[in-house]
Amino acid sequence: MGQALSKQGEILQQQWEQLRTNPELDKPWREFSWGQNEALKEKLKNFSLSNPDVKNIKILIAGQIGAGKSSFINSVDSAFQGRITCRALVNSSAGDSQSFTQRLKGFTIRSGGKKLPFIFKDIMGLEPEALAGSQTEDIINAVFGHIKDGYKLNREQALNYNDQHYTCDPELSDQSFCLVYVIDANTVQFTDDRLIGKLKIIRQRISDKGIPQVIVMTKVDEACPLVKNDLRKIYKSKKIKEKMELCSAKVGVPMSHIFPVMSYHDEINTNDDADVLILKAFEQIVLIANDRLEDCECY
C-alpha cells in the first residue's frame, strides 16, 4: 500500500514538473484569426476619420533606445507594401547607447500608391538618466502638437515655449491621438526603474488630457523559442503572456492595449504571419486613436 502511494506520488510529481516546465498553454489565451491580412488591409485602406476637419490621425511612437520604434514603423509600411521597406532609418550598431533618431519626423503609411490617413511621429529614444534621451517634456509636448516636425531634439534639454520650433497654439490636426510605447520583450524584466518612472510621468500627464496609450511589444521571436519556431503559438506562449503582464504592471497600460509583434529587422521578404500581427496591432491603434479624435476638443 505504501509503495503504491509512493509511486502515485512520484507520478503526480512528474506530471507537475512537466506542467511547470511546459512553455505552451493548452489553448490560446487571446482569440486571434491568422487569415485576416487582406481584410485588415482593405479596412484600413477605406478607413474614414471620425472628424472631417482632420485629414490624418497622428500617432506618436516612443520607447527605450533599441526597442525597435523605427523598425515597427517600417514593419507596418512593409506589411502594406508586401516588401521590406526602410523609410524610418534604423541603427545597425548593436549596443549603441545613443538614439539613432535625432529629429521629430512624421511618416505616412502607404498602400500601393495611395497614402492612408495615418501618420507615425518618430521621436528620440528614451534613456533612464535624468538628462539623456528624449525628455519627458518633449514627448508630452510632441503629443500635444507643440513641437514642429524636423526639430532636432536635444538630449540635454527639453524644448521650451520660447524656442522658434515650439508651437504655442497647435491646431487639432497637429496633435497626436494615441501614444504608442514600443517595449523590447527581451529586456522588459530588466527595464530601469528610472525609465519606468519617466513613462509613468508621461502616462499621467497625457491621460489627464484623455490621450490613450498602447504598448507594442517587439522582438517576441527572440524572447521565446516556442514563438521563434512557430509564430502562430504567440498566444499560447506562457513566456509571452508573462512578459505582457509584466509590461502592464510596470507601465499601467491594460492588457487589452498591449500587442506583441515580430517586427522585420534582418528579413528580406515579408511573411503572412508576421504581417497579420503587425496589421492587427496597427488596426487597434488606429481605432483607439480615432475614438480619441471623435471625443476630442481643441485645448
Side-chain angles (χ1 to χ4, degrees):
M1 182 67 174
Q3 288 181 339
L5 288 172
S6 177
K7 186 66 174 177
Q8 187 179 18
E10 289 178 12
I11 294 171
L12 289 172
Q13 181 66 27
Q14 289 172 359
Q15 290 175 342
W16 167 249
E17 286 297 320
Q18 185 178 7
L19 182 64
R20 187 178 66 83
T21 57
N22 185 3
E24 186 175 349
L25 298 165
D26 290 335
K27 60 180 182 179
W29 64 270
R30 177 181 282 178
E31 292 296 322
F32 193 82
S33 299
W34 290 94
Q36 57 182 320
N37 299 51
E38 293 306 317
L40 286 168
K41 288 181 190 178
E42 200 64 26
K43 180 178 180 180
L44 289 161
K45 280 194 289 187
N46 297 305
F47 194 86
S48 297
L49 305 190
S50 59
N51 188 326
D53 296 328
V54 175
K55 293 183 178 180
N56 298 289
I57 285 181
K58 291 184 171 64
I59 300 157
L60 186 70
I61 306 289
Q64 188 173 11
I65 289 172
K69 297 184 294 90
S70 300
S71 292
F72 177 66
I73 293 172
N74 288 331
S75 295
V76 173
D77 194 48
S78 298
F80 276 103
Q81 295 298 317
R83 61 181 176 84
I84 300 298
T85 67
C86 193
R87 294 169 63 220
L89 297 182
V90 178
N91 191 8
S92 63
S93 300
D96 197 334
S97 62
Q98 291 193 14
S99 176
F100 190 62
T101 302
Q102 297 293 318
R103 297 180 185 274
L104 179 68
K105 187 173 181 181
F107 294 91
T108 54
I109 301 300
R110 305 164 300 168
S111 180
K114 179 183 178 182
K115 286 185 178 181
L116 306 186
F118 318 116
I119 296 177
F120 277 129
K121 305 295 286 291
D122 196 10
I123 197 166
M124 183 188 291
L126 277 166
E127 296 178 62
E129 292 76 13
L131 295 175
S134 183
Q135 298 290 300
T136 54
E137 287 299 322
D138 279 340
I139 290 178
I140 292 164
N141 283 330
V143 168
F144 295 148
H146 292 300
I147 301 180
K148 296 178 181 177
D149 272 12
Y151 170 68
K152 186 172 182 179
L153 298 145
N154 187 335
R155 294 179 70 246
E156 305 300 327
Q157 183 176 351
L159 184 71
N160 65 63
Y161 68 92
N162 290 318
D163 194 283
Q164 62 177 340
H165 294 282
Y166 187 93
T167 301
C168 291
D169 298 308
E171 300 290 334
L172 183 62
S173 58
D174 296 325
Q175 300 168 27
S176 295
F177 302 104
C178 183
L179 174 62
V180 176
Y181 303 121
V182 175
I183 293 179
D184 184 344
N186 282 307
T187 60
V188 59
Q189 66 271 33
F190 306 117
T191 305
D192 194 300
D193 287 342
R194 293 173 296 175
L195 184 64
I196 295 298
K198 285 187 175 185
L199 290 178
K200 286 183 176 179
I201 290 169
I202 295 164
R203 177 166 169 72
Q204 182 61 56
R205 291 275 299 278
I206 68 173
S207 292
D208 287 345
K209 297 291 187 179
I211 305 296
Q213 297 103 54
V214 164
I215 290 175
V216 168
M217 197 172 72
T218 59
K219 306 182 184 179
V220 292
D221 53 320
E222 297 175 18
C224 177
L226 180 72
V227 173
K228 187 175 183 66
N229 290 332
D230 185 354
L231 192 57
R232 292 196 175 202
K233 291 188 176 181
I234 191 165
Y235 288 122
K236 294 183 76 174
S237 166
K238 289 180 181 178
K239 182 173 284 188
I240 297 302
K241 185 172 186 286
E242 288 169 358
K243 287 177 178 291
M244 290 173 64
E245 289 170 342
L246 184 58
C247 275
S248 180
K250 278 179 171 282
V251 183
V253 172
M255 286 284 281
S256 60
H257 283 40
I258 302 177
F259 305 98
V261 301
M262 189 195 84
S263 294
Y264 295 117
H265 40 86
D266 56 5
E267 294 80 6
I268 59 172
N269 295 302
T270 60
N271 76 72
D272 288 345
D273 289 345
D275 279 356
V276 72
L277 285 171
I278 291 162
L279 289 167
K280 188 62 179 178
F282 183 55
E283 179 215 27
Q284 293 302 298
I285 291 166
V286 166
L287 291 172
I288 289 166
N290 193 53
D291 286 343
R292 168 58 187 161
L293 173 60
E294 186 174 7
D295 298 336
C296 195
E297 295 180 1
C298 195
Y299 48 79

